[in-house]
Amino acid sequence: MKSRTIYRIALGAMFVVTIFIAIGIVLTFNLAREMDEPVSFWDVSFPLIGLIVTPFVGMVYYIKKKPLGWIFCCGYAIFLLVLLSLYYFDLSQMEGASMEGMGGMTASFIVMSAVLVSLIVLLLTDKMRALFFRGGQDKLLDTFAMAFVVAITIGLIVFTPRLVALSHHMVWIFVIVFAALRSVVNKYK
């Protein structure tokens, strides 16, 4: 497959996944509002930044063929795959979850996982990395490590309201992860 075709498929998949997640977030918050659950700006802003703003910024850089676009898109796909897996595992472990009720969840989990894994594999191919990184900078382990740092950062952004409520030690974890992210961003601006 040509690198231009892989580039377009990955961009289309990123766009579709981002729109799907955005619709899911809007529906979740509308459901919470209808059930009269309190939803504050603090609880809403960080998931919106992490799950909607971040991938659109990544896609802008991706279209410009900047390394930061590849890193953001791959990190976002890794984060979503991990989040989806944890969510499905958590739902399957709940007491009272019947296999019949999980049938629809299992099918959607398989489809979304296949899309995300395919997107990650496409982004990690040699041809794709060569489009974004200059010679010698596109080593698989280095690029995957940078995408993994972005995935962790997105996770910290999305779950900031819950993490802050848990512990004050989270500040040190934020500082360390954001310092790693800053070095990645500065290296590939």
Side-chain angles (χ1 to χ4, degrees):
M1 205 181 318
K2 292 182 180 179
S3 57
R4 186 177 202 109
T5 306
I6 295 171
Y7 171 84
R8 288 180 179 168
I9 291 171
L11 180 62
M14 259 313 280
F15 185 74
V16 168
V17 166
T18 304
I19 295 299
F20 180 76
I21 295 298
I23 291 170
I25 289 172
V26 169
L27 292 176
T28 300
F29 287 119
N30 281 341
L31 181 66
R33 215 177 323 143
E34 287 176 6
M35 296 175 69
D36 292 330
E37 290 183 20
V39 178
S40 69
F41 179 74
W42 172 257
D43 294 335
V44 174
S45 60
F46 288 99
L48 290 177
I49 291 169
L51 293 172
I52 297 175
V53 174
T54 303
F56 278 115
V57 169
M59 283 188 282
V60 167
Y61 281 109
Y62 183 94
I63 290 169
K64 294 179 180 181
K65 292 188 180 176
K66 301 280 186 180
L68 203 52
W70 182 93
I71 293 167
F72 272 39
C73 290
C74 193
Y76 182 73
I78 291 169
F79 170 73
L80 285 182
L81 182 63
V82 170
L83 183 68
L84 181 67
S85 300
L86 291 174
Y87 180 71
Y88 179 77
F89 179 75
D90 189 41
L91 282 181
S92 66
Q93 297 300 317
M94 288 175 50
E95 289 183 31
S98 66
M99 292 308 281
E100 296 155 0
M102 291 296 291
M105 270 309 266
T106 303
S108 64
F109 170 74
I110 291 170
V111 169
M112 274 303 287
S113 296
V115 168
L116 291 170
V117 168
S118 299
L119 178 60
I120 293 168
V121 168
L122 276 176
L123 289 169
L124 290 175
T125 60
D126 292 338
K127 290 181 181 180
M128 279 298 288
R129 290 192 330 271
L131 281 175
F132 291 92
F133 298 95
R134 287 180 243 118
Q137 291 182 334
D138 64 343
K139 294 177 184 168
L140 181 61
L141 247 58
D142 292 345
T143 53
F144 184 75
M146 289 181 283
F148 194 72
V149 167
V150 169
I152 291 171
T153 306
I154 292 170
L156 287 175
I157 291 169
V158 169
F159 295 111
T160 294
R162 291 185 183 189
L163 294 174
V164 168
L166 291 177
S167 171
H168 294 354
H169 300 289
M170 292 308 297
V171 171
W172 291 109
I173 293 172
F174 282 130
V175 169
I176 291 168
V177 171
F178 285 125
L181 179 66
R182 182 175 175 221
S183 69
V184 168
V185 169
N186 286 340
K187 186 175 180 181
Y188 292 105
K189 252 184 179 174

